């Protein structure tokens, strides 16, 4: 029987057995990635009741009122002799657990050029791709990324690959500021930006993004606040500067692409991007799955987590 990470309440997580259906293909876990912002809200009971249905992921057991299993970037190897996907490494949206039974259409084959650990970045990279599309970023734009967590870091790296785009980062945490400088990303020099991407889920960070863009600049808001309020000042030059705040969220494709794109085509783009080994730098901590409850205990306490944390399933529970 598979074992899963269970959030029993807003203060306790543990690893326990998880029953699963017999339908689908058996897949053995290799790695899963923590999406810190969203999973902190889930683990602390911060998901608004109005979004409980929308926030469910495939394979999730329980409800957001606890107990539940959760997670959404999982990589494993198919164990289905005779099936075309047998022995194929695949990515899917699934809670943190040791093995799954999933329909073939929910499994995305990982190219051989993308190592399994790096492939766990795929779900967050889909968020990044949507944000780039939503922004309309163009050649020569001066772009500011506010916050260098997982999403901010992946966004900065992806934007920096675009010809002529100047990327700078604003980060208040000293450790993360040091990380982005070590990776070669410039600190914000105070010049007005054409676009600002906000990722910190704080009112102060959003205010910085608003103030940082120039006349008719765009602020792309990627943060999800749950039930937390974000206070900002819309005086000053926000109104007269004709600035725009645009929400970007991964669950839907931007309207201008829906006629031609689907989620699998977007995932294909993500896997092409992840062939770049530079993305490896954004996974800074790999823990045995047995340590997952302790990790979430620290996450609830407000400790700033490492840039990117993945769980390794190679050791027995």
């Amino acid at each position: 029987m598979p074992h899963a990470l269970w959030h029993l309440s807003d203060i306790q997580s543990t690893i326990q057995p998880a029953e699963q259906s017999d339908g689908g293909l058996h897949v053995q876990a290799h790695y899963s990635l923590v999406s810190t912002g969203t999973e902190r809200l889930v683990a602390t009971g911060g998901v608004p009741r109005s979004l409980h249905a929308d926030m469910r992921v495939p394979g999730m057991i329980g409800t957001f009122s606890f107990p539940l299993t959760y997670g959404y970037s999982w990589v494993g190897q198919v164990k289905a002799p005779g099936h075309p996907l047998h022995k194929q490494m695949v990515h899917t949206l699934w809670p943190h657990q040791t093995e799954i039974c999933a329909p073939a259409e929910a499994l995305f084959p990982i190219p051989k050029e993308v190592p399994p650990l790096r492939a766990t970045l795929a779900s967050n990279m889909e968020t990044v791709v949507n944000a780039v599309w939503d922004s309309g970023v163009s050649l020569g734009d001066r772009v500011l990324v506010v916050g260098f967590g997982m999403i901010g870091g992946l966004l900065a790296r992806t934007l920096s690959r675009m010809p002529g785009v100047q990327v700078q980062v604003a980060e208040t945490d000293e450790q993360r500021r040091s990380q982005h400088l070590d990776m070669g990303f410039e600190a914000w020099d105070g010049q007005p930006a054409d676009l600002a991407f906000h990722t910190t889920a704080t009112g102060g960070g959003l205010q910085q993004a608003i103030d940082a863009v120039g006349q008719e600049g765009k602020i792309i808001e990627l943060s999800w606040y749950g039930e937390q309020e974000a206070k900002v000042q819309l005086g000053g030059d926000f109104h007269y500067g004709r600035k725009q705040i645009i929400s970007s969220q991964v669950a839907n494709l931007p309207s201008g692409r829906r006629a031609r794109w689907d989620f699998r085509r977007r995932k294909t783009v993500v896997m092409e991007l992840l062939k770049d080994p530079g993305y490896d730098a954004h996974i800074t901590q790999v823990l045995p799955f047995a340590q997952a409850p302790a990790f979430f205990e620290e996450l609830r306490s407000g400790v700033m987590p490492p840039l990117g944390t993945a769980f390794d399933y190679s050791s027995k529970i």
Side-chain angles (χ1 to χ4, degrees):
M1 178 176 289
H3 283 72
L5 174 70
W6 285 84
H7 300 307
L8 301 181
S9 69
D10 60 356
I11 60 172
Q12 184 182 11
S13 298
T14 188
I15 294 175
Q16 293 181 352
E19 293 186 4
Q20 60 185 15
S21 65
D22 295 329
L25 301 179
H26 177 239
V27 193
Q28 189 71 40
H30 279 229
Y31 299 101
S32 60
L33 188 77
V34 178
S35 185
T36 306
T38 298
E39 294 197 49
R40 179 190 281 117
L41 283 173
V42 170
T44 56
V47 178
R49 184 169 295 277
S50 61
L51 294 177
H52 279 197
D54 293 333
M55 283 292 297
R56 291 190 67 86
V57 296
M60 174 177 155
I61 306 172
T63 71
F64 291 104
S65 299
F66 302 105
L68 79 156
T69 65
Y70 199 77
Y72 61 85
S73 196
W74 189 97
V75 167
Q77 186 177 41
V78 177
K79 305 291 186 181
H83 193 278
L85 289 178
H86 180 51
K87 295 187 178 181
Q88 172 71 49
M89 297 300 302
V90 294
H91 176 269
T92 190
L93 279 72
W94 214 272
H96 304 289
Q97 64 185 63
T98 57
E99 57 187 272
I100 69 174
C101 194
E105 59 269 21
L107 306 174
F108 193 94
I110 299 169
K112 292 181 180 179
E113 300 93 333
V114 181
L117 180 58
R118 192 190 307 160
T120 62
L121 296 170
S123 292
N124 282 326
M125 282 294 291
E126 290 178 283
T127 298
V128 166
V129 169
N130 256 32
V132 172
W133 285 341
D134 287 329
S135 72
V137 61
S138 187
L139 289 169
D141 278 343
R142 182 182 297 119
V143 175
L144 176 66
V145 176
V146 180
F148 198 75
M150 174 59 77
I151 295 294
L154 294 175
L155 186 56
R157 185 165 300 279
T158 303
L159 290 165
S160 69
R161 297 179 56 174
M162 301 179 69
V165 174
Q166 178 187 353
V167 181
Q168 295 185 334
V169 176
E171 174 56 69
T172 57
D173 180 77
E174 286 300 321
Q175 180 179 357
R176 290 188 171 181
R177 179 180 173 85
S178 176
Q179 286 176 319
H180 83 67
L181 292 173
D182 288 345
M183 290 185 196
F185 297 111
E186 296 180 14
W188 184 40
D189 61 10
Q191 294 188 62
D194 299 299
L195 298 161
F197 293 83
H198 176 238
T199 70
T200 74
T202 65
L206 179 55
Q207 188 68 57
Q208 183 175 27
I210 292 170
D211 296 340
V213 298
Q215 181 79 11
E216 300 197 0
K218 294 180 182 178
I219 300 94
I220 313 303
E221 174 60 278
L222 288 88
S223 303
W224 189 54
Y225 297 83
E227 296 181 321
Q228 172 186 329
E229 291 185 354
K231 294 183 179 181
V232 294
Q233 297 295 322
L234 299 181
D237 65 353
F238 172 78
H239 183 68
Y240 283 98
R242 293 172 53 87
K243 299 179 182 183
Q244 302 175 53
I245 302 175
I246 300 169
S247 172
S248 183
Q249 203 274 340
V250 69
N252 294 287
L253 297 171
S255 59
R257 294 182 179 265
R258 290 176 196 166
R260 304 175 308 280
W261 287 75
D262 59 20
F263 293 129
R264 290 191 78 85
R265 185 181 176 191
R266 183 179 66 183
K267 183 71 76 68
T268 299
V269 171
V270 163
M271 289 300 176
E272 284 297 314
L273 291 170
L274 288 176
K275 290 179 181 179
D276 179 356
Y279 287 101
D280 288 337
H282 297 270
I283 301 177
T284 54
Q285 176 174 255
V286 180
L287 300 175
F289 181 49
Q291 294 183 24
F295 172 83
F296 274 92
E297 182 177 345
E298 286 195 356
L299 194 62
R300 288 186 179 97
S301 73
V303 173
M304 180 69 76
L307 189 59
T309 297
F311 299 136
D312 180 351
Y313 295 84
S314 61
S315 300
K316 292 187 179 297
I317 300 299

